[in-house]
Each structure stands twice: as structure tokens, then as C-alpha cells.
Amino acid sequence: MWKTIKRIIFIVLILNVLFIVWGRFFNPPITITQIGGFFEYGKLHRDYISYDEMGNNVKKAVIASEDQKFFVHDGFDYKAIEKAMKNNEKGKKLRGGSTISQQTAKNVFLWQGRSWIRKGLEAVYTFIIEKTWSKDIILERYLNSIEMGQGVFGIEAAAQYYFGKPSKDLTISEAAWIAAVLPNPKKYDPKNPSAYLRKKHNWIMRQMRNVSLK
């Protein structure tokens, strides 16, 4: 019995290592979140593109919105985590503090949710991809896999869905609209923005001036 358990653990570890190595060179064939989106909305709009094909505006917009320290941290924003923990103590909810690297680990390897088990696994995968992938690869995987609407995944599909153009041709304003739906793309819609979304859109455009892609 114990030999069988050890064999299963070994196989799982090997498969994880192979998947991480695979992810260094290729986008994921499909993710758990994408499968969930397909069953929930009956569609899966997704179009993987390379880092160079994405254009700078959408990269800057998402970094401005989600993780302005992306290129300087080691995968974790400890000040943001500390702030999130204080909020959790007050509201007793797991909220915020996730970097783009952490979100990439979650989107590519794991599932959505707020359990401590998932957060623990997310931390492990984040540490590993920060050591084995480059920042450009992490950002590419993130921008290709992130949920951007109901059944819409990745910035290329989002650019086509919301504005009918490739992501590399998005204006600063259009890129900021796409980034503004994060982290709740099922709730917010750039085609019908709320007052809050308009405010966030304007804030992102201002923050984009301070974002460098290195």
C-alpha cells in the first residue's frame, strides 16, 4: 500500500516538473479556468499569441492595473500581502495581494477559489516559475490565459471581442478599458461601463505613464 502511494506521489511530481518545463516554451493547451468558462457560458474565445505580438499598450495597462512592481519583485509583493492579511483579519476574507506571477501560477496550473490549500500551492508554483521562467515568459503566459470576460480568455481574444482589432493595435484608452475589468471580468464590461469602471479606466491611463517594460 505504502509503495503504491509513494509511486503515485512520484508520478505526480514528475508530471508537474514536465508541465512546468513545458510551460517554459509553450502556452498551456487548456486550463481548469478555461474549461469552467466553457461549461458556464458555452463558449471559449481564446487566441494565443507571442509576447512580441501583444503590443506595449496592453502590457503597460495590465501591469499598471494589477502589479506595478512586476519587473522588480521575486514573485511576491510582501507589502501588498501584509495589507491583504490585515484586511482579512478585519473582514475574515482572503483578499488581494496577488502579483501577476501568482495569478499566472493560479491560472496555468491551478483553479479559482479562495482556499488556503490553493493559495499554498499557488505560492509553490509562483516560486518555481520565478526561478525557471523569465519575466517576459510569465507575462506572456498571464496575458494569454487570463479571463477577460464571459468565456473570453487572453488579451488577443479580448481585443477582438471588445474592439474588433488585434491587441497590438489597441490605443492607450482601449488597452486601459481591457485592463479595467480585472480582477472581476465576469462583472465588469467595457462596452457598458459603470461609474466605478470609468474611474478605474482613467486611473489606469494615468498610471501607464509610470510603467516601464523592463
Side-chain angles (χ1 to χ4, degrees):
M1 180 65 177
W2 177 238
K3 288 184 178 179
T4 302
I5 293 174
K6 288 195 293 184
R7 188 176 294 113
I8 292 172
I9 293 173
F10 178 75
I11 292 172
V12 170
L13 289 174
I14 291 298
L15 289 175
N16 271 274
V17 170
L18 292 175
F19 195 19
I20 292 168
V21 173
W22 166 278
R24 176 70 174 74
F25 301 98
F26 305 100
N27 287 287
I30 197 164
T31 68
I32 294 174
T33 304
Q34 290 171 358
I35 293 172
F38 174 77
F39 281 107
E40 185 173 358
Y41 300 108
K43 60 181 180 179
L44 176 58
H45 295 307
R46 184 191 72 178
D47 188 5
Y48 289 156
I49 57 175
S50 69
Y51 184 82
D52 293 334
E53 292 177 293
M54 292 175 174
N56 288 339
N57 282 341
V58 75
K59 296 173 189 173
K60 289 183 176 181
V62 171
I63 290 173
S65 175
E66 294 295 289
D67 183 6
Q68 294 187 25
K69 297 179 182 178
F70 173 67
F71 283 106
V72 297
H73 63 56
D74 62 356
F76 304 93
D77 185 342
Y78 298 102
K79 288 185 178 180
I81 292 172
E82 183 181 357
K83 183 178 179 181
M85 289 178 67
K86 289 179 179 179
N87 288 334
N88 293 340
E89 289 175 0
K90 295 177 182 178
K92 297 182 179 181
K93 293 180 181 179
L94 292 168
R95 296 181 56 193
S98 292
T99 63
I100 283 176
S101 301
Q102 289 174 272
Q103 292 181 58
T104 302
K106 175 183 67 177
N107 292 331
V108 173
F109 300 105
L110 302 169
W111 61 92
Q112 303 298 314
R114 296 183 180 274
S115 70
W116 287 110
I117 293 176
R118 205 271 294 153
K119 292 294 289 184
L121 290 172
E122 176 188 297
V124 173
Y125 279 111
T126 298
F127 177 81
I128 294 172
I129 64 175
E130 276 281 340
K131 298 298 182 184
T132 58
W133 298 3
S134 69
K135 288 287 188 177
D136 286 358
I137 291 173
I138 292 173
L139 186 58
E140 179 186 321
R141 299 293 176 268
Y142 174 77
L143 291 174
N144 272 328
S145 63
I146 188 71
E147 188 172 15
M148 301 298 302
Q150 297 182 357
V152 180
F153 293 86
I155 50 90
E156 183 68 9
Q160 294 288 352
Y161 180 75
Y162 292 118
F163 299 107
K165 62 172 66 175
S167 61
K168 65 181 178 63
D169 294 333
L170 291 172
T171 66
I172 291 174
S173 178
E174 289 167 344
W177 277 122
I178 287 179
V181 305
L182 301 172
N184 198 341
K186 294 180 180 181
K187 178 179 179 181
Y188 301 120
D189 184 357
K191 295 180 179 180
N192 186 28
S194 62
Y196 166 79
L197 203 64
R198 291 181 186 277
K199 183 178 180 180
K200 185 177 180 181
H201 170 261
N202 291 333
W203 178 83
I204 291 172
M205 286 200 295
R206 292 195 300 271
Q207 294 300 309
M208 286 172 70
R209 302 170 190 160
N210 304 321
V211 172
S212 172
L213 294 178
K214 288 295 178 185

